Amino acid sequence: MSARSDIAPSTLGVELHDYGVEVEYIDNRTTVYRGVPEAVTGTLATAPGKEVHVLVTDPTETEGVMMYVNDLKSHDDVLESSGVGRVILGEGEEEELFPGVLVRRVPGHRFEIEADPEVARGRVFVFVEDDWAEHSYEFVAE
């Protein structure tokens, strides 16, 4: 099975805590993206070579959908069983992940994410991480 296919996301459980964002996958595993997300407006540019995960909640903030951007580590069957989606972008390509949420790949293995929470009709979180650090962001209305 290819480890580089686009995969549609499923609805996941979400809990917002004062210490981070907890996501429950459809296989009942959970993960916590730690830290209070930094508020962003406009465009979020990532550092090169980081893992990028985008989560959009529903208006109740108890469910959401998550996409991994250019994840080359997770195999298709693992993502499908967890409910996480994936999009693979070549340099210069962009895609609307969800209504109001756009991601583009820019030179240097970097990404730019733009989001309008009003169009998304929920909260929009971006988690950017590697083996040394993780950062959480939330798009807010200007």
Side-chain angles (χ1 to χ4, degrees):
M1 205 173 245
S2 170
R4 297 182 178 196
S5 299
D6 286 356
I7 296 176
S10 298
T11 302
L12 307 175
V14 175
E15 282 191 57
L16 305 177
H17 303 286
D18 58 355
Y19 57 84
V21 178
E22 182 175 359
V23 176
E24 181 179 1
Y25 303 110
I26 61 173
D27 61 8
N28 295 318
R29 291 180 304 115
T30 60
T31 192
V32 176
Y33 292 92
R34 299 209 176 271
V36 176
E38 178 183 333
V40 262
T41 60
T43 302
L44 172 66
T46 69
K50 301 290 185 179
E51 294 179 23
V52 177
H53 305 168
V54 179
L55 171 69
V56 178
T57 72
D58 71 347
T60 69
E61 302 175 359
T62 60
E63 294 183 328
V65 285
M66 177 174 278
M67 293 288 286
Y68 288 0
V69 180
N70 277 41
D71 171 84
L72 302 178
K73 295 179 182 178
S74 305
H75 288 277
D76 291 5
D77 55 346
V78 172
L79 292 174
E80 289 167 352
S81 69
S82 70
V84 174
R86 174 177 52 210
V87 63
I88 302 293
L89 299 173
E91 191 170 304
E93 292 182 334
E94 67 180 33
E95 185 160 326
E96 186 175 47
L97 297 181
F98 310 106
V101 182
L102 179 75
V103 64
R104 78 179 57 84
R105 184 170 169 190
V106 295
H109 300 285
R110 300 170 61 103
F111 296 93
E112 292 179 343
I113 301 101
E114 296 175 1
D116 183 339
E118 290 180 20
V119 174
R121 298 181 53 217
R123 294 175 76 172
V124 180
F125 297 97
V126 178
F127 308 108
V128 180
E129 57 189 40
D130 61 17
D131 291 337
W132 296 279
E134 59 182 56
H135 302 281
S136 299
Y137 303 93
E138 179 180 3
F139 278 92
V140 296
E142 291 188 44

